[in-house]
Every structure is written in C-alpha cells, then in structure tokens.
Amino acid sequence: MEPESEFQKLERKIVQCRLCPRLVEWRERVAREKVRRFRAEKYWGRPVPAFGKPDAALIVVGLAPAAHGGNRTGRIFTGDRSGDWLYDALYQFGFANQPVSTSMDDGLMLHGCLITAVLRCAPPNNKPLPEEIANCQDYLRQELLLAGGKRAVIALGQIAFRAFLRTWREAGGETAGLRLQFRHGGEWVLPGGITLISSYHPSQQNTQTGKLTRPMFHEIFRRARGILDERE
Ligand code: SF4
C-alpha cells in the first residue's frame, strides 16, 4: 500500500474537524432528520473533503456543501442542483468523464481538476458566519500550497473569490497592481502565471433567476480549457 500523501493527511484531518459548533450541530442534525426524498439514505453528516488530485492544473473553489447535497453524499457538489451545473460544465470541456455526480461510487473521475470549497460543512441557509469562514480558511490555504500543478483557478461566487485571494496573499502571493474585483467572467493572471477566473456561483438563486445561464457558465470553463491547452 502506498504511504499516505500530505494531501491525503490533510483531507483526513478536515473530515474529522469540529471547530465550528454551529456548523457541527447543523450538519449532524440535517443528517439525522433528513428530508423525505432521501429518508432511506445514510447521510455523510461530516466535513466534505476536496475532490480530485492535488496536482490538477485547474482548481475550482466553491462556497460550501449543500445540506442535502454534499452533506448527504460526502462528495463536494454532489447530489444537488449546483453540482448538476458544475459537473455538466466540467464534462463538456474535458475535465470529467461523465456529466453527472450522484454518489461517491458513481464512477465519476475528474481529469486535471480539483474541486474544493471555502467551507467544508454545510451552513444553515447557505450563509456562513465570518468566523466560520476564518476557521476553515487554513484548510484552503494548505490545499493550495500542496496543490503543485495548478495553472488556473475558477472561483465560484464572491465569497470564494475573496477567500481564494486571502489565502493567496497569506501564502505570500502578490496581487499589487491588479484591479481584482469580483464579476462574472473576470480573468487575471497572477504573478507566477496562475490565471484566476471569477464566475457567478451556480446556485439556484442565480440559475433560476436567469442571472447565470448555461452558456454563461460554459464560457467560464471554455476559457479555462483554452488557457490550459495554450500552456501545454
Ligand atoms: S467549516 Fe471547516 S473549520 Fe468549521 S467545522 Fe467544518 S471543517 Fe471545521
């Protein structure tokens, strides 16, 4: 058996974390009480680790697991509507072997992509508190440090965008002289050559209102694919 990598050690630590009392209580309560349509399922009910390989060229940063999505299935963006959008886009541009993600054993594999999030526990109403974001920040920072192959980062939503930039700066990354303001389709080349792309989050709040459409979302991944292909 291969020895556990630093990245695997980190992910194992994340899954055991109980640092935010409000989120621990919520994730476990949701897992106990469930919703009717998933009543027969055993919920994960723990922090959700990153999905993919740490040497991936593309890193996608989301907000947090959904109560009945990742918090149920144990895989990030899996079993909820946001995930339907994300994995479809990843598949369309060659980052995944299938367009859907339904459970941990559904055969999904990512190609050159790592998906992670600002928070690893589902927050009530998808609204984390500032101190909870701060508590989880170090996990993202450590992941980014261990992720050696990254060439492009897609931040899904304003919170992910800000969290990525904070971790980038904390890790010694420079952003001086760059006008870094969140918008859909923003693109910046950071010192060191990593391209940061900002996108609206594919939450139902955005997709059901038409703020984010499929073509708009696909365009983000088309650009990431183009950037990575150019650099090969
Ligand atoms: S949100 Fe992050 S820091 Fe808070 S309990 Fe979950 S894993 Fe730990």
Side-chain angles (χ1 to χ4, degrees):
M1 205 167 83
E2 280 188 29
E4 197 178 38
S5 69
E6 290 304 309
F7 192 81
Q8 287 168 325
K9 280 183 202 163
L10 172 62
E11 296 306 306
R12 191 159 48 79
K13 185 176 167 194
I14 291 171
V15 168
Q16 293 165 356
C17 183
R18 303 182 68 82
L19 206 54
C20 310
R22 186 183 80 117
L23 299 186
V24 171
E25 196 278 330
W26 174 250
R27 77 190 190 206
E28 293 181 354
R29 176 145 58 96
V30 168
R32 272 195 314 275
E33 295 178 357
K34 310 181 183 181
V35 282
R36 184 180 297 215
R37 66 187 185 284
F38 300 128
R39 199 172 40 198
E41 292 191 26
K42 185 170 174 13
Y43 276 49
W44 177 256
R46 286 177 276 163
V48 179
F51 179 44
K53 298 259 171 63
D55 60 355
L58 172 66
I59 298 187
V60 178
V61 185
L63 172 59
H68 303 286
N71 189 55
R72 173 173 58 90
T73 61
R75 186 198 279 158
I76 200 155
F77 278 100
T78 294
D80 61 57
R81 297 280 167 78
S82 299
D84 293 346
W85 278 58
L86 176 60
Y87 289 106
D88 168 64
L90 290 170
Y91 174 72
Q92 296 298 330
F93 296 96
F95 295 108
N97 69 331
Q98 61 187 44
V100 289
S101 179
T102 54
S103 68
M104 277 208 255
D105 55 4
D106 62 4
L108 174 65
M109 285 187 293
L110 297 180
H111 303 310
C113 176
L114 176 75
I115 306 174
T116 185
V118 176
L119 275 103
R120 310 316 162 92
C121 297
N125 301 316
N126 288 324
K127 289 198 169 55
L129 301 174
E131 59 266 33
E132 292 163 348
I133 293 175
N135 284 348
C136 221
Q137 174 101 3
D138 196 51
Y139 293 141
L140 183 61
R141 188 185 63 79
Q142 289 185 57
E143 280 177 348
L144 293 173
L145 284 173
L146 291 171
K150 59 187 178 291
R151 296 288 174 272
V153 174
I154 295 176
L156 298 177
Q158 180 143 209
I159 293 177
F161 179 75
R162 287 191 188 148
F164 170 76
L165 286 174
R166 267 198 310 276
T167 56
W168 172 260
R169 289 172 184 134
E170 278 175 18
E174 289 288 328
T175 55
L178 292 169
R179 288 172 59 85
L180 290 155
Q181 281 188 334
F182 178 79
R183 66 178 190 279
H184 184 78
E187 185 178 320
W188 301 266
V189 179
L190 304 177
I194 295 172
T195 300
L196 170 62
I197 302 172
S198 53
S199 167
Y200 290 148
H201 191 285
S203 62
Q204 285 185 278
Q205 203 181 355
N206 289 333
T207 57
Q208 287 189 337
T209 56
K211 183 174 178 183
L212 180 64
T213 64
R214 291 269 185 185
M216 286 167 69
F217 198 53
H218 281 185
E219 186 53 30
I220 297 291
F221 291 84
R222 187 192 315 280
R223 279 159 65 178
R225 171 51 69 202
I227 289 161
L228 297 181
D229 286 352
E230 256 175 38
R231 293 187 189 177
E232 270 181 5

